[in-house]
Amino acid sequence: MPLNYKKLIIWTLGIPLVLLAVYASLGMNAFVLSVSVVMVGLVARGIIADIYPQALVLVGGMVLLVMAAFMFPETPLVKASSGSRFIDVFGNISEVFSSNLTSLGLTIMVIAGFSRYMHEIGASQKLVVISVKPLGLLKSRYFLLGCCFILIQLLAMFLTSPAGLSLLLMSTLYPILRSVGCSKGAVASVIASICINYGPADVGNILIAELAGVEVFDVFLSQVPILAIVFPFIGVMHMVMQRYWDRREAQAGLIDEKDALVEDEASAPDVPLYYALFPVLPLVVLFVFSDLAQDFFPEGMKFKVGILPALLMSFFLALFVDFARSLDVKAAAQKISFMFEQMGQSFMAIVSILICAQVLAQGLIKIGFVSILFNLLPAGEHTHVLIVLFFSLFIFVSAAVLGTATTFSAFAPLAAEMAKTGGVSIVKMLMSMNYSGAFGRACSPIAGFIIAVSGLVGLKPYDLIKRNSVQLISGYVLILTLNYLMID
């Protein structure tokens, strides 16, 4: 591909000249704000252009740190200076890497590995198969669809990959719903409406807990009252809207009652019924040893268990039980290898962007962007609303455009610092952003799980989004409102 010299000159000379003009005419604060906005804009533009986001975020953060090192020599970059401002830039990056790898990064990798191991031993599939079986007893089509949405969102707490969960449901739930007369468009739309990230195993919640300095189970408990309202609300909306679209498409002669062929990827695995408990076990352990349940235990049995110990305890129990059934050392070892393989993949896909995003956040903090911005904002309650709303809508739009909620991870550290500086609850801010990423992904025609589900039933992604748009947008407005009012 030939080099476009005109664009190269604009990017390498034009932008710096404009920024220097801003500095000369408006002063240092305007220059810092301009540099920060340009850098974030360039990173966002690069991500939309499908350039490797980790590289963009990491280099952008390093550039800002270098500028901060020499423009603001009084600003400390590391806990203990090396004596060289230039070396301190890389010392700051090193601190970010080391602190996140040993805490947040490790937790995310273990969760990913645990989920993969549950799949390899058949426990995840067993959980889904058992969960959907009782639905066959319900004969009211649209009531069944509404109940299915609630069930799908409950399963999403344990099976955190929308693509994996949706494919499991297409081979288990889809035939059941079709057998009672639900149209393929309605069934596929409900399955493709996985729209809320929550639970102790959710990457977003783990990041929120890390940035806010609270326990991840406490974050989950604060979500429960909100979700207890939102789940039924969207479920009822599904009943209404799927009926509406079925009637409209029937009048237009668009409904095809022929079943689409779905590959049976998640038929009931040949494992005992109790295997379905293994994916749920970490949540049970966290609840039993949480502050909520400790009052019911005698003094000698009051223990504190974090998410990593809960996952590891559950993993070893599942390992011993599975090995005892097969007595096949080689097969058991192979399943563990898949777990470590998934841990490595999660580092590449998730942990790396989180760490690089922390570097960008450090650059924006050290250069003074956060403090300057909040000094310009008027104080008061309306400022808090605007800050939360701005970041939430930004994440929603970016997730809808990109088909992924990873932009939440990229901008969460910056949002946490802005919330802290502006006196806004970090949990309130980040939880709104996390919800926004999930809802935006569910409204994206290029989201992987929407493409997969629509392809399996012979529809276009737009067909599913069209059927889900009213309930998802109304649910999104409701969850943001409840989150702002109910989270301290």
Side-chain angles (χ1 to χ4, degrees):
M1 183 177 178
L3 187 64
N4 190 322
Y5 289 100
K6 185 177 180 180
K7 284 187 176 181
L8 181 64
I9 292 172
I10 292 174
W11 289 112
T12 57
L13 295 178
I15 292 178
L17 288 174
V18 171
L19 292 174
L20 287 174
V22 170
Y23 174 70
S25 58
L26 300 176
M28 180 60 77
N29 284 357
F31 174 75
V32 168
L33 289 176
S34 300
V35 167
S36 302
V37 170
V38 167
M39 186 59 69
V40 173
L42 290 174
V43 169
R45 188 179 188 279
I47 293 174
I48 292 173
D50 202 26
I51 299 174
Y52 187 56
Q54 283 87 328
L56 294 169
V57 175
L58 180 62
V59 172
M62 189 196 70
V63 170
L64 291 177
L65 284 171
V66 170
M67 293 180 67
F70 294 102
M71 291 174 58
F72 305 103
E74 72 284 354
T75 301
L77 298 177
V78 291
K79 295 176 182 178
S81 177
S82 66
S84 166
R85 296 287 290 176
F86 182 71
I87 294 175
D88 284 350
V89 169
F90 300 97
N92 182 292
I93 297 174
S94 175
E95 287 181 354
V96 170
F97 272 60
S98 60
S99 62
N100 283 278
L101 275 174
T102 56
S103 55
L104 177 64
L106 180 61
T107 301
I108 292 170
M109 287 192 291
V110 171
I111 286 174
F114 178 80
S115 299
R116 175 66 180 274
Y117 185 77
M118 291 295 107
H119 175 79
E120 293 300 328
I121 66 174
S124 298
Q125 298 93 314
K126 198 69 175 181
L127 175 62
V128 172
V129 170
I130 291 174
S131 299
V132 302
K133 271 188 176 180
L135 295 173
L137 302 175
L138 300 175
K139 299 303 179 183
S140 174
R141 289 183 295 170
Y142 297 104
F143 178 73
L144 186 55
L145 288 170
C147 292
C148 284
F149 169 79
I150 298 174
L151 171 65
I152 290 168
Q153 282 297 162
L154 292 174
L155 287 171
M157 178 168 58
F158 309 106
L159 308 175
T160 55
S161 166
L165 176 57
S166 60
L167 289 175
L168 286 171
L169 292 167
M170 285 302 294
S171 54
T172 52
L173 183 61
Y174 181 83
I176 293 175
L177 294 177
R178 291 290 280 146
S179 69
V180 297
C182 296
S183 68
K184 68 179 181 182
V187 179
S189 297
V190 171
I191 292 176
S193 61
I194 303 170
C195 59
I196 302 176
N197 293 335
Y198 74 107
D202 175 56
V203 172
N205 273 10
I206 296 168
L207 181 58
I208 292 170
E210 181 76 16
L211 294 174
V214 297
E215 292 292 331
V216 67
F217 195 74
D218 293 334
V219 174
F220 166 60
L221 288 178
S222 67
Q223 292 177 304
V224 171
I226 297 173
L227 301 180
I229 299 172
V230 175
F231 285 174
F233 173 80
I234 299 180
V236 171
M237 290 293 293
H238 265 303
M239 299 179 202
V240 175
M241 295 310 301
Q242 299 307 335
R243 180 192 293 270
Y244 167 79
W245 283 110
D246 279 352
R247 288 179 174 176
R248 181 167 175 175
E249 291 181 0
Q251 290 171 358
L254 298 176
I255 287 186
D256 178 11
E257 289 303 321
K258 292 181 180 179
D259 277 315
L261 293 177
V262 179
E263 186 178 352
D264 190 15
E265 293 186 11
S267 57
D270 186 22
V271 294
L273 189 67
Y274 59 80
Y275 267 51
L277 296 174
F278 291 143
V280 185
L281 197 55
L283 181 65
V284 175
V285 172
L286 287 171
F287 174 76
V288 168
F289 293 103
S290 68
D291 293 335
L292 194 66
Q294 285 293 290
D295 293 338
F296 299 98
F297 284 82
E299 192 62 36
M301 294 184 62
K302 292 184 177 181
F303 308 115
K304 294 292 291 183
V305 178
I307 188 167
L308 275 178
L311 287 164
L312 293 172
M313 289 164 60
S314 303
F315 160 69
F316 278 109
L317 177 61
L319 171 64
F320 292 140
V321 171
D322 190 61
F323 174 71
R325 286 188 64 247
S326 66
L327 297 178
D328 188 334
V329 175
K330 187 174 182 179
Q334 185 63 33
K335 292 173 183 176
I336 296 175
S337 76
F338 289 129
M339 180 184 75
F340 285 108
E341 176 186 304
Q342 189 65 44
M343 289 175 68
Q345 291 177 4
S346 72
F347 176 83
M348 291 177 61
I350 302 172
V351 178
S352 57
I353 186 63
L354 294 177
I355 295 174
C356 294
Q358 293 276 14
V359 175
L360 178 62
Q362 281 291 306
L364 292 167
I365 294 165
K366 298 300 183 183
I367 206 171
F369 170 72
V370 175
S371 58
I372 292 172
L373 183 64
F374 273 98
N375 287 334
L376 295 175
L377 290 173
E381 181 67 21
H382 294 301
T383 302
H384 295 179
V385 176
L386 290 175
I387 294 168
V388 175
L389 188 60
F390 169 77
F391 273 99
S392 299
L393 292 178
F394 172 74
I395 296 299
F396 178 88
V397 172
S398 62
V401 170
L402 299 173
T404 175
T406 54
T407 46
F408 165 70
S409 302
F411 290 96
L414 170 62
E417 286 298 328
M418 294 190 72
K420 189 185 303 181
T421 304
V424 183
S425 164
I426 295 177
V427 174
K428 178 183 293 187
M429 168 83 89
L430 298 185
M431 208 176 284
S432 294
M433 292 170 62
N434 195 25
Y435 292 143
S436 298
F439 272 94
R441 180 186 59 205
C443 294
S444 174
I446 61 172
F449 72 103
I450 292 179
I451 293 174
V453 171
S454 61
L456 284 172
V457 297
L459 296 173
K460 296 178 181 179
Y462 171 75
D463 295 326
L464 306 188
I465 294 171
K466 174 188 69 176
R467 278 178 164 268
N468 288 339
S469 57
V470 173
Q471 50 269 47
L472 290 183
I473 295 301
S474 56
Y476 177 56
V477 173
L478 176 62
I479 203 169
L480 285 190
T481 304
L482 292 175
N483 186 76
Y484 190 85
L485 295 176
M486 298 174 67
I487 300 296
D488 297 326

